[in-house]
Amino acid sequence: MAGSGAGGGGRSFSFKVVLLGEGCVGKTSLVLRYCENKFNDKHITTLQASFLTKKLNIGGKRVNLAIWDTAGQERFHALGPIYYRDSNGAILVYDITDEDSFQKVKNWVKELRKMLGNEICLCIVGNKIDLEKERHVSVQEAETYAESVGAKHYHTSAKQNKGIEELFLDLCKRMIETAQVDERARGNGSSQSGTARRGVQIIDDEPQVQSSGGCCSSG
Amino acid sequence: CPSPSSRLCRTRNWRPFPTWGSVSDTTHPALPPGLLPQPPTPPPQARGVGVHGPPRLLPSAAPGPPLRSMSDAVLAVLAPEKQLARAVEGLARDRSTRLGASVQDFLTLVRGGGVEWRSSHELLSPIRTFLTHTKAQLLQSPALELPSPTLLPDHRLDAVLEWALHRCVLKPLKAVLASRLRRLRVADGSLGQLRENLQMVRERGPSAFPARAPLPSPPDTQRARRKLLQLLRAYSPGTQVTLLLQACKGVYRAMGAAPDGSYGADEFLPVLSFILAQCDLPQLLMEAEYMMELMEPSQLLGEGGYYLTTLQASLALLGRFHEEEPRELCPNFQRALSWRHQPPSERPPGSPCQVRGEVLGGESLMGTPCYPPSPCPLSTPPCPLPTPYPLPYPSPLLAQPAPITTGTCSVPIPHVTPSLPLHLPQCPLSPCPHPPPPPPAHAHSVPDLLCLPGATA
């Protein structure tokens, strides 16, 4: 797992969070909402939502969150490992009106657990709850599934700005916990993970069980 | 070879320190007082430094001679970063200092080769380790005290040292490392494959990477190419990442304003891949590895790390382009399509039997009827597979109207998802008799194209 970049002094953490999910589930809108469209003018590629950062202060602990968007089209699935390596957290987004996008989340969970083990904090997010009437993924099914894989489940609406703050706050708290446990396990040694985890190979995944239906590309 | 760190500790016999002039005849750096070389006192044992205390890469600080001139003094106050960098470089070039000995030995060692590398990581990680270690040593060195610590905050100090070390270590090694990386990628065939694939993508045009965003014009591509060429020439991964970010910024600018405010990775990755193919710089494959391995590790989390990762992702995509099934779209069809289908075995009865795509601006697939999802009422009995069933009409979207066949229901396939086996719809009955449903009742902001199996006139 990536080093949590826990700096000395007044405890500060740097976390990498990767956004995964099908093309049109609203990943980008979700993160844009969270960052309130306030782009970091220190970034060279400002005004874009592919890479966003947010600073938080949780109980006196400073957290620098780097949110990495990924391309959700099926075509880009095999590029996943390049993006999620060294991630502290993953936000797996599906559209509650699209059963297929939930299946896709399950595939991601399987892959992440296989590749990164239990150190990565997983959040499964049912987005678009403003379209409750068109819901195709039952709340119970989703929550039961999330629990079964050690992930937390959230309901959000990027459109109505619901549930997003809570999602990121919870995730940060869990990542802090994980980082601290990790640190203790290492006997407070320097948690310099530096180059140890570099050099990820792309894995061609087997043509596995296909998910259903279809979805428009990107969103 | 022993680890770089052990080499660092193996100090050379201390020689009387040369006069400053012998180091700086050409560069004429003015050191901050703390950095001025002094005859060390007392001389440490040849091998005992690591045991008796932290090794000092620089001669220990002692009251230095006065600055040579007023201009040096002014410079030291006004441009402390430049001063420090020049000082470190001067010392690194001088074998009689511990830093110089360590750097020069390391350069000789790397140039000499003699070790087999099976990956870019094996080749480059010792260099990153050396940079990190040397920087840490410099930061601990009491000789690094600046006249006024407030002039250089800690994080700047770190950045300045990193940059200075790039000049001392990476600049002289860049050519040799580039040729070794190239050898690796020639040997495994990935460089040649990428070159061929870039050509293939160019020939295929915009349809190779359908994107929702407008594709950049040739002048935009040229601008990006110039930045990438500069990137290839640079040796410092820090500089290279800045150039990469500038190139990416240009790409975003060329994409124009996003309908919903800003573009995410869904739009950026295809456009970048398209541009990279136009730029025709397969050397970027090695350069991305060089940057990824040698970049300051903390930078990997930031914006630079993200776009470097995106560059690698895009090159990986291009490198496997030949494995994708050929797709031909008419030129004005630039909107992405993403196809998936659930085999009937996994589909709950009554669930949509559909393949959806997406088209630009609500334009339908050349007159192909588009419908919103509708349940396929016939989920049993099993269909008599395999029965080739040609497309009911030649699709103008396919340059070669190859009969894409499947089970018993057929759909026009304007776009086939690469790298994934296409699971064509397999409707259980032949032909799927249900009539086309009425036109979309609920309008999506982005129209979905749904071609129902067998739903043709």
Side-chain angles (χ1 to χ4, degrees), chain B residues 329-406:
Chain B
L329 300 184
C330 63
N332 65 352
F333 186 77
Q334 294 187 352
R335 202 87 168 250
L337 307 158
S338 163
W339 291 77
R340 251 106 359 90
H341 186 74
Q342 188 182 25
S345 55
E346 295 161 35
R347 198 169 56 221
S351 73
C353 162
Q354 60 190 9
V355 174
R356 264 195 286 170
E358 188 187 336
V359 246
L360 182 64
E363 177 186 308
S364 79
L365 263 181
M366 295 303 197
T368 309
C370 301
Y371 306 106
S374 97
C376 177
L378 308 156
S379 48
T380 52
C383 67
L385 285 173
T387 311
Y389 194 86
L391 280 174
Y393 41 78
S395 167
L397 296 171
L398 296 165
Q400 301 160 336
I404 295 180
T405 60
T406 175

Side-chain angles (χ1 to χ4, degrees), chain B residues 418-445:
Chain B
S419 75
L420 273 192
L422 177 70
H423 286 257
L424 291 167
Q426 296 167 355
C427 209
L429 279 187
S430 166
C432 196
H434 63 275
H442 52 88
H444 290 272
S445 55

Side-chain angles (χ1 to χ4, degrees), chain B residues 88-89 92 103-104 107 163-172:
Chain B
V88 171
E89 284 167 42
V103 167
Q104 297 304 322
L107 293 182
W163 186 80
L165 287 175
H166 289 176
R167 272 182 73 90
C168 306
V169 178
L170 298 183
K171 193 177 180 185

Side-chain angles (χ1 to χ4, degrees), chain A residues 70-107:
Chain A
T70 63
Q73 295 95 313
E74 192 69 62
R75 180 182 196 181
F76 305 130
H77 184 97
L79 304 174
I82 298 183
Y83 283 96
Y84 63 62
R85 66 182 160 194
D86 293 348
S87 290
N88 303 87
I91 297 178
L92 306 150
V93 191
Y94 69 92
D95 173 354
I96 61 158
T97 69
D98 183 358
E99 165 75 29
D100 176 40
S101 67
F102 184 60
Q103 292 300 324
K104 187 72 188 292
V105 161
K106 289 183 178 177
N107 292 346

Side-chain angles (χ1 to χ4, degrees), chain A residues 45 72 74-75 212 214 218, chain B residues 208 212 252 266 303 342 356 420:
Chain A
T45 55
E74 192 69 62
R75 180 182 196 181
S212 73
S218 105
Chain B
R212 285 199 316 155
Y252 276 125
D266 285 331
E303 192 189 17
Q342 188 182 25
R356 264 195 286 170
L420 273 192

Side-chain angles (χ1 to χ4, degrees), chain A residues 106-175:
Chain A
K106 289 183 178 177
N107 292 346
W108 277 121
V109 170
K110 244 181 271 167
E111 185 175 331
L112 287 169
R113 286 287 183 231
K114 190 173 152 198
M115 306 299 289
L116 302 180
N118 286 324
E119 285 176 76
I120 185 165
C121 299
L122 299 185
C123 292
I124 298 178
V125 179
N127 192 29
K128 302 194 186 178
I129 52 167
D130 46 297
L131 300 175
E132 188 62 43
K133 282 179 198 160
E134 295 168 47
R135 179 184 276 279
H136 276 96
V137 181
S138 90
V139 177
Q140 201 194 344
E141 182 196 354
E143 286 179 347
T144 312
Y145 172 74
E147 202 178 329
S148 74
V149 294
K152 284 248 184 177
H153 188 276
Y154 302 87
H155 288 103
T156 60
S157 165
K159 197 173 172 185
Q160 299 171 347
N161 199 4
K162 277 188 189 161
I164 299 174
E165 284 286 335
E166 186 197 349
L167 154 71
F168 280 95
L169 191 66
D170 269 14
L171 174 61
C172 284
K173 285 180 185 164
R174 284 166 59 210
M175 289 191 298

Side-chain angles (χ1 to χ4, degrees), chain B residues 192-209 215 221-222 225 273-283 318 321 328:
Chain B
Q193 188 64 62
L194 179 63
R195 185 174 286 119
E196 279 173 31
N197 289 6
L198 293 177
Q199 169 75 23
M200 202 190 297
V201 171
R202 282 196 299 279
E203 281 164 11
R204 202 161 293 166
S207 66
F209 290 103
L215 291 172
T221 307
Q222 275 309 314
R225 191 170 194 275
S273 305
F274 176 78
I275 287 199
L276 288 180
Q278 307 302 312
C279 290
D280 195 21
L281 297 169
Q283 313 90 296
L318 289 161
F321 190 79
E328 294 292 339

